[in-house]
Amino acid sequence: MLERILILLLFLIGFAGIVGMRNIIKKIFGLTIINSAVVLLFIVEGSRIGNSAPIIDAEIGLVVDPVPQALMLTAIVIGVCVTALALALAFRLYKAYGSFDIDEIHRQVHRES
Amino acid sequence: MKFTGRFTVSPESSVFSLVMLPLLGAALVMLAKAFLKGRMAAGMQFTAMLVGLFGPWLALLYTFPLVWSGLTVEGVIGNWSGVVGITFQFDGLAWLINALGYTVAGAAWIYSLGAGPRGPVFSSVFLIQTAALAATAMTADIFNLFVCLEVLGIASYVLVASSEKNGAFLASFSYLMVSASSMVFFLAGLFGLYRLTGSLSYSGISQALLALPDQGGGLAAISLSLIIAAVAMRVAMMPLYGWLPDAHALAPHAVSAVLSGVLIKTPLFALSRIMLIVPLGAAAAQLLGYAGAATAIVAVLVALSQKDAKRLLAYHSISQIGYVVCAWGAALDLGMDTMAGQHLMTAAFLHAFYHALFKGLLFLSIGTSTDRAGSRNVYTLRGAASTLRQSGERLPITLLSFIIAALAISAIPPLNGYASKIAITYSLKGSWQYWVLSAASIGTIASFIKLSRIFWPQPARIRLMATEEPSAVFMPSVATARHSGLPAQIVPGPMTDTSAVKRANLPVGISQAMLALACVASGLAAPWLYGFVLRLLDSAASLGFTSLNPGPALYTADNLLKTLYMVLAGFVLFRLAVSALGSRLLSLVRDRHRGFHGLFLSFAVGLSVLCVWLLLV
Amino acid sequence: MSGRARRILFLAQIALCVLLVAAVLIPVFLSSMPWPLSARDYLQANGLAESGASNLVSAIYLGYRAFDTLGETIVLLVAISGTIAIIAHGGAVLAQGYGLPSGTASEPARHLPPKTRTELLEVVTGKLGPVVLVFGVYVMMYGHLSPGGGFQGGVVIASGIVFLALGSRVDASNSLTSPENLVRIESAAFALLLLAASSGIISGSGFFGNPLAGAGLTPVAFIITLNAIIGLKVGAGLGFMCIAMLGRGK
Amino acid sequence: MIPILLALLIILAVYTLASADLLHGVIALSGISLISALIFYLLRAPDVAITEAAVGAGVSTVVFVWAIRATTRRASPVKNAGSSSAAVLPEDESL
C-alpha cells in the first residue's frame, strides 16, 4: 500500500509541476515525471503475481505478468519522443521570445498579433 | 472481374492496406529525400503521395461489397491468440470514417501543392497522420487506441508547428502539453481497466466487466471516465476545447482543413466502439451529448465575437463538433439497437462528413482570400473579392467556394449542411437539445453574415485606414528573425509563406472546386446518402431498420419555413452583434486568454464531473 | 486586480486542479483488487510454443502486439524528423521543400561553445565507440532469449555512433557517422520494416504474420528479423538526432 | 527496499522542479530514470529496466542537456525576479 501512495504522490508532484511551474522546461520535467509514475505503477502492480522474470528457461516458478512490461516499453519510448519534440518547441520559443516563462511568452505573442 | 488464380486478396489484407499504403508512401518520401536529388526527388515524392492518398480508395472499393452486405472483417493482427494480441474490427462505421478521411486528406494535399507547405518532412508526416486515422478507425484494442492517438497527436503537433505564423510554436507547445498529459491519464485509466479485467480488447474488457460483481464498481467508472476524458480532449468538447482555436487558426490552411475536418472526429467515432459494449458507456455518452449541445451554443457565441477570420472558423469547428457530439451521445444513450439510435448516429456521421467538406472548403477559401488581401481582421478587411480578381483569378472560384461553404454551414437548402442539420434536429425533436441546437444555428448564420463582409466592396473610409496601417498579422517572420538572432537565410522573409499564394494557381483552384462540387452534390444527393450511411451502420448492427424508416423528409414546408425564420433571426442577431451595445457584450465573451493552467483546470473539472456522473448513475 | 490577488487566484486554481486530479486518481492508484492472472497464465503455458521466443516480453512486443511496436517506431520517426526540422529551420523546412540549401541539419551547432571536444574525450570515445557498437548489436540480436531487443539495442548503437562521431577528427570523413548516411539507413530500415510487416499479406499468413510460416520457419526467425530492422532504424535515427544536436554534422 | 527507492524518487522529483539551475534539474531527472530502472530490475522487469536506462537516462538526458546548453540554465528570468510573478495576462484590446 505504501508503494502505491508514494507513486500517487510522485504523479501529483509531476502534475503540479506541469500546471503550476511558469518555466516551460520545468513543465516538460513534470510531463516526464508523471509518465514515469504511471510506468512505475504498471510494473510494481504487475510484479505482484509472480516471482521470476518473464524469461522462460529451465524450471522456473510463476513469472510476473509480461503484458504490462511490454506495454510500458512502448509507453516509455513514446513519452521520450514527445519530450524531445516539446524541447525542440521550447528551444524555438526561447529563440523567438527570449524567455522560458510561459506568461512572458503569452504576453509577447498576444502583443504582436 | 473475378480473381480466378490462386492469388486472392483476403479481406483482412485489403483492410490493412488502408494503413500500409500511406505508410509506404511516407517511406517512399523519406527514401526520395535520402537518396535522390532535385527533380527526381520531387517526382518520387509526388508519386508517393498519389500512392498513399489515392491508393487506399482501391482498398475501400474492394471492401465495400463486404461491408455493404453486413459482414464485419475482424480478427487478431498476425493471427495470434486473442488473449494478448491486437483485435481489429472493420465494419460500416470504419469504412465510413476511412472514406471521410481520405476524401479530405486528398483535397487538402492538392491544395497544399499550390499554396504549401510541401517539403518532404511535411509530406511524410501528413501521410503518417492519414495512416493513423485509418488505424484509429478500425482498432478494437484499447492500448492500440492509445498508440494510434499518440501517432495522430505527434503528427499534428509537428504539422501545427510547420506554420510560420507568429504564435504557432506556442500553439503547438500548448497543444502538446495538454494532450500528452491527457494521454498519461488515458494510461492510468487503462491501468484500472486492465487491473479489473486482465484484458485489452474491447470485447474482452466488456465481458469481464459484466461478469464482475457490481460490474467493476467505482474503479470501472473512474477508469472509463479517465479514458473518455482523454479522448474528449482530442475531440475538443465543451470544457476541454481551449487548445483548439490557436492550433487550428495558426496551422497552414491545408493542415487546418484536415485538423478541423477529420482529426477531431475520428477519435469520437473510434470511441463509440468501446462505449457501445462497456457497461456505463451509455451513461457516459448521455453526459457527453449534453456537453455537445452546450458546446454548440457557447462556441458559436464566442465565434461571433472573433475578429481574426481563421479563429472565427476554428470556433465554428468547435460549435459544429458540438452538434455531432450531441447527436452521437444521444444515439449511444439510446443504443444502436434502437431505430432512433440508428437514425441519430446516421445524422451524427452525416454531419461530421458534411462538416469536413464545407469546413475544409471554408479554411481553404478564407485562407486564400486573406493571404492575398494580406489581412485576417474581419472588422477592417473589405473588398477581398476584388483583390482576388486583381491577383489573376479569372473565374471567381474562391469567392464562389466561400459562398457555397458559408451557405452550407448556415444550413441553407439545397446544400449539404441543410440536410444534416435537419437530420439531427429531426431525431431530437421535442427535447431541449432541439432548441439549443436551433439557437446555435441562428448564431452560425449571424456570424457567417459577419464573415462574408470581408468580400463586400471597400468603403472609402476603411480603404484609407487600410493603407495607413499595414496589417500586423502578416509580419511574423520579421519578428521571429529579429528575436531569434538567426541569419536571414534561415528565417525566411515575410513573403515566403505567401508568395506562392499571391498569384492564382491551378491546384488551389482545383481543390476548392472539388470540395465545392462535393458540397453541392452531397447536398443534392442527401436523401440517398442518408440511406447509404444508415444501411452501412445498420449492417454493423444487422437489424434491418433501413426498410422500416427511410429517414426524414427534407423539403417539407415546415422545414423550409423554419429555415426562413432562422435566416431572418440570424440577420437580426447580426445587426445586434455589430451594434454598439452588441459588440460591447460580445467582447465580454471573446476568448479570454485564460493562460496555460486554465487548460488544465478545465481538464480537471471536466474529468471530475464525468467521474461523479458515472459514479452516481 | 492587484498582483497579489492575481497570485492568490492563480495558486487557488492550481490547488483546485491538483486536488480534483488527486480525488479522481486515488481509487485507481490505491485499488487493492487482485491482479488478473489470465494473460500471464496463458503466456506462461503457450508463449514459448507459439512465438518461439523465451523472453515473453519480446514475444509480446514483436509477436503478439507487433502492430503497437510499428506505431511506436512511427512516433519515434515523426519525433526525430520533426525535432530536427523545428530546431534547424523553424517552420521553413516544412514549408518550402527542396529549395533549402543542403547540409544545414547541424544548425544548432552555432549555439554550443566551440570547445566541446578535448583530446582525452576524443581518444576515449574513439576507442570505446566500436565496443559499444558491438555490444548494441548483441543486445539487438539476442532480444528473443535475454533481456533486450531491437529498440534497446538500437539505443546502444546510437550511443556508439555518437561516440564514434565524437572520437573522429574534425575533417576525417567518417562514413558511418555522416548525417546523410544515417538518414539513408533510417529511411531504408523504415521501408524494410513496412515490407516485413506486409510480407505476410502476400504469402497468405496475414498482416504482420510470419511470412514463411508455410515453409516451416518458426515465428522466432521473424521476431529476430524485426529486431534487427528496428535496431537499425532506431540506432540510425537517434544517432542522427544526437549528432545533429551536438553540432557534429558535416 | 522498494518504498525507500520510491521515497528517493519523490525527493528527486521535488528537487527537479524546485532547482534554480535547470541543468541540476536534468541531472536529478536522469537520477529518477536510473532509480526507476533499478526498481524495474528488482521487480523482475529487466527489459523495462534496460529501456528506461537507455532511453530515459540516456537519450532524454542528451536532448535536455542540448536544449539547456543552447538556451539558458537559469530557471527564472532575471528581470522579473522579485516582482509579481503572478500571471499578468494581456487585456484583449477591443476593436
Side-chain angles (χ1 to χ4, degrees):
Chain A
M1 195 60 181
L2 182 59
E3 293 159 6
R4 295 176 190 149
I5 293 173
L6 289 172
I7 293 173
L8 178 65
L9 213 55
L10 188 66
F11 186 98
L12 292 178
I13 290 170
F15 187 71
I18 295 180
V19 184
M21 285 289 162
R22 297 176 63 199
N23 185 306
I24 54 179
I25 297 284
K26 291 208 171 164
K27 284 180 188 293
I28 302 174
F29 286 163
L31 186 59
T32 315
I33 292 173
I34 60 170
N35 216 4
S36 298
V38 172
V39 173
L40 278 166
L41 182 67
F42 266 94
I43 302 294
V44 168
E45 296 298 313
S47 73
R48 290 184 195 280
I49 55 169
N51 45 25
S52 60
I55 297 173
I56 297 184
D57 12 286
E59 288 303 307
I60 52 164
L62 285 174
V63 298
V64 299
D65 194 349
V67 175
Q69 297 193 9
L71 302 188
M72 286 310 105
L73 286 186
T74 308
I76 290 173
V77 174
I78 289 179
V80 169
C81 292
V82 172
T83 306
L85 197 63
L87 281 169
L89 288 169
F91 167 79
R92 268 290 135 187
L93 287 172
Y94 186 84
K95 288 292 162 200
Y97 305 107
S99 172
F100 276 143
D101 188 312
I102 190 85
D103 295 329
E104 174 68 22
I105 295 170
H106 262 290
R107 193 157 44 227
Q108 290 197 26
V109 167
H110 293 302
R111 195 170 56 218
E112 281 177 15
S113 63
Chain B
M1 194 179 92
K2 262 186 153 177
F3 290 107
T4 45
R6 282 186 339 132
F7 179 78
T8 49
V9 182
S10 73
E12 190 200 330
S13 308
S14 54
V15 162
F16 276 99
S17 60
L18 289 172
V19 183
M20 293 313 279
L21 280 174
L23 286 182
L24 208 61
L28 284 179
V29 171
M30 295 181 58
L31 286 173
K33 178 183 142 203
F35 288 101
L36 300 175
K37 289 232 185 311
R39 295 182 66 86
M40 287 283 286
M44 184 148 162
Q45 187 186 330
F46 190 82
T47 321
M49 294 302 274
L50 283 184
V51 169
L53 291 176
F54 300 100
W57 281 104
L58 294 177
L60 281 178
L61 283 180
Y62 184 80
T63 47
F64 178 71
L66 290 173
V67 178
W68 185 248
S69 62
L71 286 172
T72 301
V73 186
E74 56 189 337
V76 181
I77 294 176
N79 297 323
W80 293 94
S81 133
V83 179
V84 191
I86 300 172
T87 325
F88 70 95
Q89 209 176 18
F90 189 85
D91 49 13
L93 184 64
W95 193 90
L96 286 169
I97 300 173
N98 271 295
L100 165 69
Y102 283 109
T103 310
V104 179
W109 175 63
I110 294 177
Y111 180 86
S112 79
L113 281 180
R118 51 174 166 263
V121 178
F122 166 78
S123 305
S124 54
V125 173
F126 190 79
L127 283 170
I128 284 171
Q129 188 181 46
T130 318
L133 284 171
T136 313
M138 66 179 91
T139 182
D141 181 281
I142 196 152
F143 191 77
N144 193 243
L145 179 66
F146 168 81
V147 175
C148 291
L149 287 177
E150 287 281 12
V151 177
L152 273 185
I154 201 154
S156 50
Y157 317 142
V158 172
L159 289 179
V160 171
S162 74
S163 161
E164 290 172 44
K165 299 212 165 49
N166 183 26
F169 288 124
L170 179 60
S172 176
F173 182 78
S174 307
Y175 178 24
L176 184 151
M177 287 307 285
V178 175
S179 106
S181 316
S182 71
M183 288 320 280
V184 180
F185 284 90
F186 186 110
L187 268 187
L190 200 157
F191 171 82
L193 285 185
Y194 186 80
R195 156 154 244 165
L196 278 171
T197 65
S199 177
L200 292 166
S201 69
Y202 294 167
S203 54
I205 289 174
S206 79
Q207 281 161 16
L209 280 182
L210 286 171
L212 283 172
D214 197 24
Q215 297 186 348
L219 182 55
I222 291 174
S223 306
L224 200 61
S225 56
L226 281 166
I227 286 170
I228 293 171
V231 178
M233 181 100 217
R234 290 293 177 84
V235 180
M237 245 157 6
M238 177 54 186
L240 315 174
Y241 65 75
W243 57 269
L244 186 141
D246 281 330
H248 286 204
L250 293 170
H253 309 312
V255 175
S256 298
V258 178
L259 290 181
S260 272
V262 201
L263 208 70
I264 55 177
K265 291 163 197 143
T266 306
L268 183 73
F269 287 106
L271 190 64
S272 62
R273 192 159 285 154
I274 183 165
M275 302 267 276
L276 273 174
I277 55 174
V278 168
L280 288 177
Q286 191 186 7
L287 183 68
L288 292 189
Y290 295 165
T295 312
I297 185 110
V298 171
V300 88
L301 278 180
V302 184
L304 197 53
S305 70
Q306 294 303 305
K307 62 179 180 189
D308 181 304
K310 269 186 88 178
R311 275 185 88 82
L312 190 147
L313 293 182
Y315 274 106
H316 274 291
S317 291
I318 303 174
S319 165
Q320 301 295 317
I321 195 82
Y323 280 81
V324 175
V325 176
C326 180
W328 171 89
L332 290 185
D333 184 24
L334 292 171
M336 288 296 282
D337 44 2
T338 61
M339 185 151 40
Q342 293 256 335
H343 278 284
L344 275 166
M345 190 54 111
T346 306
F349 182 80
L350 215 56
H351 193 62
F353 180 54
Y354 287 173
H355 173 251
L357 294 179
F358 58 66
K359 184 50 67 70
L361 188 57
L362 277 171
F363 267 118
L364 299 187
S365 59
I366 287 290
T368 312
S369 323
T370 53
D371 277 1
R372 291 197 192 144
S375 163
R376 282 164 47 170
N377 191 325
V378 183
Y379 289 96
T380 57
L381 176 62
R382 291 292 179 276
S386 60
T387 318
L388 283 171
R389 214 166 29 248
Q390 283 157 18
S391 70
E393 196 175 278
R394 261 169 293 165
L395 292 170
I397 288 179
T398 307
L399 180 61
L400 277 178
S401 319
F402 172 75
I403 292 173
I404 288 173
L407 292 179
I409 197 175
S410 312
I412 307 295
L415 289 159
N416 54 11
Y418 173 75
S420 56
K421 283 194 185 173
I422 290 291
I424 288 181
T425 45
Y426 161 80
S427 306
L428 287 172
K429 199 158 244 170
S431 62
W432 60 270
Q433 289 104 316
Y434 174 79
W435 297 105
V436 172
L437 291 186
S438 300
S441 294
I442 295 173
T444 310
I445 294 172
S447 71
F448 275 90
I449 296 176
K450 177 179 151 182
L451 182 59
S452 66
R453 288 191 304 174
I454 68 170
F455 290 99
W456 294 358
Q458 209 164 27
R461 186 177 55 83
I462 293 182
R463 189 180 301 141
L464 200 68
M465 256 172 60
T467 46
E468 271 172 7
E469 38 173 337
S471 75
V473 184
F474 255 81
M475 312 307 269
S477 308
V478 180
T480 323
R482 195 180 61 230
H483 284 292
S484 63
L486 290 172
Q489 76 266 22
I490 293 173
V491 180
M495 282 302 130
T496 32
D497 195 18
T498 50
S499 57
V501 197
K502 277 287 176 189
R503 52 176 202 283
N505 59 30
L506 199 58
V508 173
I510 289 178
S511 57
Q512 291 184 19
M514 259 174 62
L515 280 174
L517 282 180
C519 279
V520 176
S522 61
L524 293 176
W528 180 81
L529 266 175
Y530 189 91
F532 178 79
V533 174
L534 186 63
R535 165 90 193 261
L536 277 181
L537 292 175
D538 187 22
S539 70
S542 58
L543 287 165
F545 285 131
T546 318
S547 48
L548 293 178
N549 185 344
L554 278 183
Y555 302 108
T556 60
D558 220 18
N559 286 339
L560 292 174
L561 206 60
K562 188 187 155 204
T563 308
L564 186 63
Y565 288 146
M566 296 235 269
V567 171
L568 290 178
F571 197 73
V572 171
L573 184 63
F574 161 70
R575 291 308 312 174
L576 283 177
V578 293
S579 69
L581 178 69
S583 50
R584 194 168 310 152
L585 284 177
L586 280 179
S587 70
L588 293 178
V589 293
R590 182 186 298 164
D591 58 328
R592 297 246 157 233
H593 299 293
R594 286 172 301 171
F596 193 80
H597 58 275
L599 298 174
F600 283 91
L601 185 62
S602 50
F603 178 75
V605 171
L607 174 63
S608 32
V609 169
L610 184 59
C611 272
V612 172
W613 175 271
L614 285 188
L615 287 174
L616 289 184
V617 291
Chain C
M1 221 180 340
S2 73
R4 191 179 163 75
R6 236 184 257 268
R7 177 143 186 87
I8 290 172
L9 185 67
F10 175 73
L11 288 178
Q13 285 181 350
I14 292 185
L16 178 65
C17 212
V18 175
L19 283 179
L20 285 177
V21 165
V24 172
L25 287 182
I26 281 175
V28 179
F29 275 57
L30 303 191
S31 148
S32 50
M33 293 281 293
W35 191 261
L37 303 173
S38 54
R40 194 275 312 266
D41 291 347
Y42 178 83
L43 283 168
Q44 184 150 25
N46 308 316
L48 180 58
E50 281 185 2
S51 70
S54 56
N55 183 352
L56 290 178
V57 176
S58 269
I60 299 169
Y61 190 67
L62 290 166
Y64 293 96
R65 304 187 66 88
F67 191 53
D68 283 346
T69 310
L70 178 68
E72 175 197 321
T73 53
I74 289 170
V75 169
L76 184 75
L77 182 85
V78 177
I80 290 174
S81 53
T83 303
I84 297 296
I86 287 170
I87 62 176
H89 309 282
V93 72
L94 294 145
Q96 287 175 349
Y98 288 99
L100 280 173
S102 58
T104 45
S106 58
E107 211 49 58
R110 74 178 65 241
H111 307 293
L112 276 183
K115 203 158 170 51
T116 50
R117 313 146 22 83
T118 59
E119 211 55 34
L120 180 69
L121 189 69
E122 235 168 68
V123 173
V124 171
T125 53
K127 294 276 182 287
L128 213 56
V131 181
V132 174
L133 269 186
V134 170
F135 177 63
V137 173
Y138 170 81
V139 172
M140 176 172 101
M141 300 310 290
Y142 283 84
H144 59 290
L145 297 177
S146 57
F151 203 94
Q152 296 91 329
V155 177
V156 179
I157 288 177
S159 56
I161 290 173
V162 174
F163 279 5
L164 280 182
L166 282 175
S168 65
R169 308 217 55 89
V170 186
D171 301 322
S173 64
N174 196 328
S175 59
L176 180 62
T177 57
S178 78
E180 288 83 5
N181 281 338
L182 291 176
V183 169
R184 282 177 187 172
I185 295 173
E186 192 196 7
S187 52
F190 180 50
L192 266 179
L193 181 61
L194 292 180
L195 287 181
S198 32
S199 60
I201 292 180
I202 293 157
S203 72
S205 55
F207 180 69
F208 254 120
N210 174 13
L212 296 174
L217 197 71
T218 57
V220 75
F222 190 50
I223 289 183
I224 296 173
T225 316
L226 287 180
N227 255 334
I229 297 173
I230 289 174
L232 211 59
K233 182 185 163 303
V234 171
L238 284 179
F240 169 61
M241 185 171 85
C242 292
I243 289 178
M245 282 182 166
L246 293 170
R248 284 283 310 189
K250 199 175 76 181
Chain D
M1 186 64 191
I2 304 290
I4 299 170
L5 290 176
L6 284 173
L8 204 57
L9 282 187
I10 288 177
I11 296 168
L12 279 176
V14 172
Y15 179 76
T16 304
L17 292 175
S19 71
D21 186 338
L22 290 178
L23 212 50
H24 295 178
V26 173
I27 293 163
L29 201 67
S30 61
I32 292 181
S33 281
L34 285 177
I35 295 177
S36 304
L38 182 59
I39 295 177
F40 297 149
Y41 181 75
L42 293 176
L43 291 176
R44 299 170 198 90
D47 278 280
V48 190
I50 293 180
T51 310
E52 178 73 41
V55 178
V59 176
S60 136
T61 308
V62 167
V63 183
F64 267 112
V65 168
W66 163 78
I68 286 166
R69 290 188 67 172
T71 51
T72 178
R73 287 170 65 168
R74 274 197 305 274
S76 54
V78 190
K79 56 177 178 172
N80 275 7
S83 76
S84 81
S85 54
V88 183
L89 298 177
E91 289 300 321
D92 224 356
E93 79 278 23
S94 53
L95 18 149

